[in-house]
Amino acid sequence: MAQAVYHKAHKSGAPARLARRFAFLVASLLAVSFVIFSVMAAVPGDPAEIMLGTSAAPDTLAALRHQLGLDQPFLLRYVGWLGGVLKGDFGTSYTYSTPVGTLIAERLAVTLPLAGLAIFLSVVIALPLGVLAAARPNGPVDLFASLFAQIGIAVPNFWIGLLLILAVALTFGWFPAGGFPGWESGFLTALNALALPAIALAIPQAAVLTRVTRTAVIEIANEDFVRTARAKGATPAYALWRHVVPNALIPVVTMLGMQISVLVAGTVLVENVFTLPGMGTLAYQALAQRDLIVVQNVALLFAIIVMGLNFIVDALYAVIDPRLRR
């Protein structure tokens, strides 16, 4: 009977761990939403005056404040906003007089593919480069990987974007220097417009992942089980890809999860450099125009994306490391 209880505990370990992580995720999002709303409420500026202008009559301003719920106590406004978000009602933009949900949906069609492409490029660049650099330390590939990592970490992504515009778009004309034609113009045309911004976002992420991959592979390659596999006749290449690389993925995935927040923050700058109509540009314009309802919803959505992706990364640990399933 004790053995049955033991096996039952082993089988329920991973789901229970994910359930705890999900509960923590929900609690964290509630805390973040309260902080975001508090900061936006403390920002100077009257949304009613922004919509009607400073020359509007006091009774007209008071009526609009009442319509927007701005005359209610702080907690009531917070609960009302959070309840609307949970129902899919994000409010109405003060500047555009358009539902915020519509604005966000239009901009997500640019930002999500851009971020996904940047993550894909960073992984495709970093994993092979880091593994090959670790396979032959101090070799030509290792020296190139070290140089790439140093430059990629030191140079900001918006500066990389400017260099790509000058060196690739304007000089050779292979890619557009900015703007987004929309997905209705064709998949390849739209993807071509996102290529340079995605590369600008991917290079700093790939630089960090390359360094982490190299270090992790070298450490795992010196473990006893790898030497045992080599002693049993495994070739260096087989031992590397069959035993070393799978075990080295855990710190790589961990770093990838940590870099997601940096990537999301980088979209704000890169989208403005390439004049892309994405979430970053929307947040920047809304902040400049004091359209606080848009800013707080965009900030909350960014938090949901970052925390949600980190939850997915955490769930991947059980897939990569069978020990965590027990």
Side-chain angles (χ1 to χ4, degrees):
M1 182 176 178
Q3 187 177 6
V5 173
Y6 174 80
H7 284 297
K8 183 178 180 181
H10 272 248
K11 291 181 180 179
S12 61
R17 178 175 175 272
L18 286 180
R20 289 193 300 268
R21 292 291 299 171
F22 183 76
F24 180 75
L25 170 66
V26 173
S28 300
L29 287 175
L30 286 175
V32 167
S33 68
F34 184 79
V35 171
I36 290 173
F37 189 85
S38 301
V39 171
M40 291 298 104
V43 172
D46 185 357
E49 288 187 356
I50 294 174
M51 297 178 68
L52 297 178
T54 56
S55 60
D59 55 343
T60 305
L61 290 172
L64 182 58
R65 291 192 190 100
H66 179 74
Q67 179 183 347
L68 296 175
L70 298 175
D71 56 349
Q72 295 179 352
F74 172 81
L75 287 179
L76 284 180
R77 286 189 286 130
Y78 169 70
V79 172
W81 170 64
L82 187 61
V85 169
L86 294 176
K87 293 185 295 185
D89 181 11
F90 299 94
T92 303
S93 168
Y94 303 148
T95 303
Y96 302 101
S97 299
T98 303
V100 178
T102 302
L103 293 174
I104 289 177
E106 294 173 351
R107 305 305 180 96
L108 278 178
V110 178
T111 298
L112 288 183
L114 173 62
L117 183 58
I119 293 173
F120 172 77
L121 290 175
S122 63
V123 172
V124 168
I125 294 171
L127 286 184
L129 186 58
V131 171
L132 293 176
R136 293 188 177 181
N138 299 320
V141 177
D142 188 24
L143 295 177
F144 172 78
S146 298
L147 180 63
F148 169 75
Q150 290 178 359
I151 295 176
I153 293 173
V155 181
N157 48 30
F158 70 90
W159 185 250
I160 295 175
L162 292 174
L163 292 178
L164 289 174
I165 291 175
L166 293 174
V168 179
L170 298 181
T171 303
F172 299 101
W174 295 340
F175 299 94
F180 185 70
W183 294 104
E184 63 275 4
S185 64
F187 177 77
L188 293 180
T189 302
L191 192 65
N192 191 50
L194 295 179
L196 291 185
I199 293 173
L201 285 171
I203 287 178
Q205 316 305 319
V208 175
L209 288 178
T210 298
R211 180 168 290 181
V212 172
T213 302
R214 179 188 180 277
T215 302
V217 169
I218 290 177
E219 290 180 354
I220 297 297
N222 293 322
E223 294 288 339
D224 292 337
F225 72 92
V226 178
R227 287 195 291 266
T228 301
R230 292 291 307 275
K232 290 182 177 181
T235 62
Y238 180 85
L240 175 66
W241 295 104
R242 177 64 180 85
H243 298 288
V244 176
V245 173
N247 287 279
L249 286 179
I250 294 179
V252 175
V253 172
T254 301
M255 180 55 65
L256 182 62
M258 295 173 61
Q259 290 294 101
I260 289 174
S261 58
V262 180
L263 180 68
V264 170
T267 59
V268 177
L269 297 174
V270 171
E271 284 180 358
N272 280 279
V273 169
F274 287 91
T275 61
L276 296 176
M279 291 282 289
T281 304
L282 177 64
Y284 178 79
Q285 294 173 346
L287 186 60
Q289 297 165 346
R290 293 295 189 272
D291 200 343
L292 302 183
I293 186 68
V294 174
V295 176
Q296 69 187 28
N297 280 289
V298 170
L300 179 63
L301 186 59
F302 276 152
I304 292 173
I305 292 174
V306 171
M307 293 184 178
L309 289 177
N310 275 282
F311 175 77
I312 294 174
V313 169
D314 192 59
L316 287 176
Y317 291 158
V319 178
I320 298 173
D321 191 350
R323 295 172 297 180
L324 296 179
R325 295 196 290 268
R326 300 193 295 269

